């Protein structure tokens, strides 16, 4: 059973999630005795599920049900129960995600109202989603996508009173769409340039002049992520050390930027600096060390750090 999709997914649960899932099974599927007995057996091996002998299908079935797996119908019962458990765990995790994520809750409810053709309540819900998104700072690409979605829903999900919208609101809608396009396109261009510089792979960047022209507007330039990826693009394109320093300063100035975005930026800085070191610019060791210190101060390595990452940080600190 070690290789079953159910056990692989179950292994990702934290202890409190495992307990909650057990309660969910009893509440929603209390009559499914075969599946519940299997769950009670396998949860004792969580989270590693490393005892291959005890998790072997035949051994586990004899231990749980006191019968041979090869008896008529037993293998099918076991496989069906594992399939059901995987389905129920998937449902449980999706419900937990909905319970914890207000945006997911509100947009799902908006979709339901639209399907049920409850226009008045849909109008109220769309405005609620828009206000909820507008009230939160944008710290990741996903936040810009949410802003675009909220504006799109306001003017395209609703089927009434489109003509009553004022010009300023329409401009706000256009701005959110521009923001998402600009920041996501800049981020993609940075990845293209990074690969081109590191692996000499050809990438088509002919659309970038239009993107760079778009971000020249004051409304877009005020956005931290637009600033961040614009600077990274300029660094990878021109290789200016002053831009390198400006990126580091920007990350320190905006600690609210989501960790995943910071990790992406740090990776580009690392790649750029290590390339310079390989080219004989030894003074970049100090800059790499500064990056490592900054990234460590943000708690980047509190949970997952490879031996290679650890050795790189120590070696860089020793050389800088």
């Amino acid at each position: 059973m070690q290789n079953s999709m159910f056990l692989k997914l179950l292994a990702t649960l934290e202890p409190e999630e495992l307990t909650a899932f057990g309660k969910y099974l009893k509440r929603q599927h209390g009559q499914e005795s075969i599946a519940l007995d299997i769950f009670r057996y396998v949860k004792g091996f969580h989270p590693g599920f490393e005892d291959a002998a005890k998790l072997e299908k035949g051994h586990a079935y004899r231990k749980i049900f006191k019968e041979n797996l090869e008896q008529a119908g037993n293998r099918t019962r076991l496989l069906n129960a594992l399939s059901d458990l995987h389905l129920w765990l998937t449902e449980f995790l999706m419900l937990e995600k909905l319970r914890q994520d207000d945006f997911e809750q509100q947009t799902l409810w908006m979709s339901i109202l639209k399907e049920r053709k409850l226009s008045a309540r849909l109008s109220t819900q769309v405005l609620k989603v828009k206000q909820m998104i507008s009230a939160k700072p944008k710290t990741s690409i996903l936040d810009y996508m949410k802003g675009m979605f909220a504006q799109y829903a306001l003017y395209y999900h609703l089927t009434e009173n489109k003509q009553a919208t004022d010009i300023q609101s329409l401009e706000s809608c256009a701005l959110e769409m521009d923001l998402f396009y600009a920041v996501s396109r800049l981020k993609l261009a940075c990845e293209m340039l990074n690969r081109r510089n590191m692996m000499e792979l050809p990438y088509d960047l002919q659309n970038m002049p239009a993107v760079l022209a778009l971000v020249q507007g004051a409304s877009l330039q005020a956005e931290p992520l637009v600033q961040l990826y614009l600077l990274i693009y300029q660094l990878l394109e021109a290789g200016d050390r002053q831009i390198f320093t400006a990126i580091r300063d920007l990350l320190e100035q905006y600690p609210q930027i989501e960790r995943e975005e910071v990790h992406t930026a740090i990776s580009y800085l690392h790649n750029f600096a290590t390339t310079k070191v390989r080219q004989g610019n030894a003074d970049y060791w100090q800059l790499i060390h500064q990056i490592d210190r900054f990234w460590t101060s943000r708690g980047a390595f509190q949970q997952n750090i490879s031996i290679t990452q650890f050795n790189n940080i120590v070696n860089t600190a020793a050389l800088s």
Side-chain angles (χ1 to χ4, degrees), residues 41 60 96 137 140 186 190 207 290 292 300:
Y41 178 77
E96 285 296 294
S140 69
L186 276 171
C190 290
N207 293 328
Q290 291 174 8
D292 289 339

Side-chain angles (χ1 to χ4, degrees), residues 6 10 17-25 39 85 88-89 92:
F6 171 60
L10 194 67
E17 292 176 316
L18 184 68
T19 300
F21 178 56
K23 293 178 180 178
Y24 172 82
L25 286 177
F39 171 72
L85 284 166
W88 298 335
L89 178 54
F92 167 76

Side-chain angles (χ1 to χ4, degrees), residues 258-273:
E258 193 173 272
R259 179 179 293 184
E260 183 178 342
E261 305 292 350
V262 177
H263 183 273
T264 300
I266 294 295
S267 297
Y268 290 142
L269 292 179
H270 254 286
N271 292 341
F272 174 82

Side-chain angles (χ1 to χ4, degrees), residues 65 71 131 140 173 184 188 229 237 289 291 304 312-313:
F65 301 110
Q71 288 180 226
Q131 291 166 358
S140 69
C173 180
S184 56
L188 183 62
Y229 285 113
E237 180 71 15
H289 180 49
I291 296 170
N304 298 311
N312 287 343
I313 292 172

